[in-house]
Amino acid sequence: MNDEFIKMMVRRVVEVAVSGQALRNQGAPGVVDAAKDHLLEIDLREWAQLDAGSFGPRLDAETAALVEKLPADARSWGAARKAINLVLRDAVYSADLCDHFSLRPLRPVLELPLDKHVGAGIAEDAVKFNLSVPAWKQIKTLAPSTSATYQDAASTIATRRGIHRVDLDLYYWRASGTKPKRS
């Protein structure tokens, strides 16, 4: 695969992951375009080098950088964090990008992209697993401390399910309308 093809694949991941639907109602027009422009510039090779100890600080720095690129009326930490997590997750899920950038070791440390569907799923499972999470509000008001609480709960839930935290999105995303039918 040549560099041009890889760039096109990265662009596709960013375009699909950071959609109007993923970042709707964030307070100002231009949020999606600003997020996409920023995320097209990240170097996935650098992310592949991160381990459990260095991933969090890098994600925090990238979140802060993206917040600054968002329109002034929509500088939401939660929206920025969600956009980055969606792109990283989808890059890992893309076999070609995962292989090209050696992203496989990143999967165990990836965060679960948070939104109202995921928040509801975590809250429901938290009761089952005797965990405590605050009531979900909305992504544009999500604070780092609340996100950390949800990510900690997600880690526990994922471990008990035998999957990685990031993979819980498959269970929670629009859970009411996407559950597979049992035969």
Side-chain angles (χ1 to χ4, degrees):
M1 287 181 269
N2 64 39
D3 288 344
E4 180 184 8
F5 182 73
I6 293 298
K7 284 181 183 179
M8 290 186 331
M9 290 187 78
V10 169
R11 176 170 289 284
R12 183 181 189 288
V13 163
V14 170
E15 290 286 334
V16 171
V18 186
S19 65
Q21 182 177 355
L23 294 180
R24 66 186 170 279
N25 302 322
Q26 293 307 305
V31 172
V32 172
D33 289 339
K36 286 179 183 180
D37 289 346
H38 179 80
L39 292 168
L40 284 169
E41 299 301 318
I42 67 170
D43 185 351
L44 291 173
R45 272 188 192 84
E46 291 176 10
W47 288 89
Q49 306 305 313
L50 303 176
D51 59 18
S54 58
F55 178 78
R58 175 60 192 270
L59 184 58
D60 289 342
E62 196 67 45
T63 303
L66 178 51
V67 167
E68 290 301 313
K69 300 283 177 91
L70 297 177
D73 292 343
R75 291 204 169 136
S76 161
W77 184 93
R81 188 64 149 232
K82 179 181 179 183
I84 295 164
N85 284 331
L86 288 169
V87 168
L88 292 175
R89 180 207 56 203
D90 287 0
V92 168
Y93 280 3
S94 166
D96 288 335
L97 291 181
C98 192
D99 290 346
H100 182 81
F101 292 110
S102 301
L103 296 173
R104 195 161 319 285
L106 194 57
R107 190 172 188 163
V109 298
L110 289 176
E111 285 190 352
L112 174 62
L114 298 175
D115 62 19
K116 70 179 181 179
H117 302 291
V118 172
I122 291 173
E124 184 178 322
D125 278 350
V127 172
K128 293 178 197 171
F129 295 120
N130 199 27
L131 304 169
S132 178
V133 294
W136 181 261
K137 293 182 182 172
Q138 52 187 352
I139 196 69
K140 72 180 172 183
T141 61
L142 183 64
S145 59
T146 303
S147 176
T149 301
Y150 272 85
Q151 294 297 337
D152 289 346
S155 293
T156 300
I157 294 163
T159 298
R160 291 183 182 173
R161 287 186 179 212
I163 61 174
H164 297 296
R165 171 175 62 185
V166 68
D167 300 325
L168 285 171
D169 198 35
L170 297 171
Y171 290 92
Y172 297 149
W173 184 73
R174 293 188 179 173
S176 62
T178 59
K179 289 186 180 174
K181 300 217 186 300
R182 297 181 189 234
S183 43

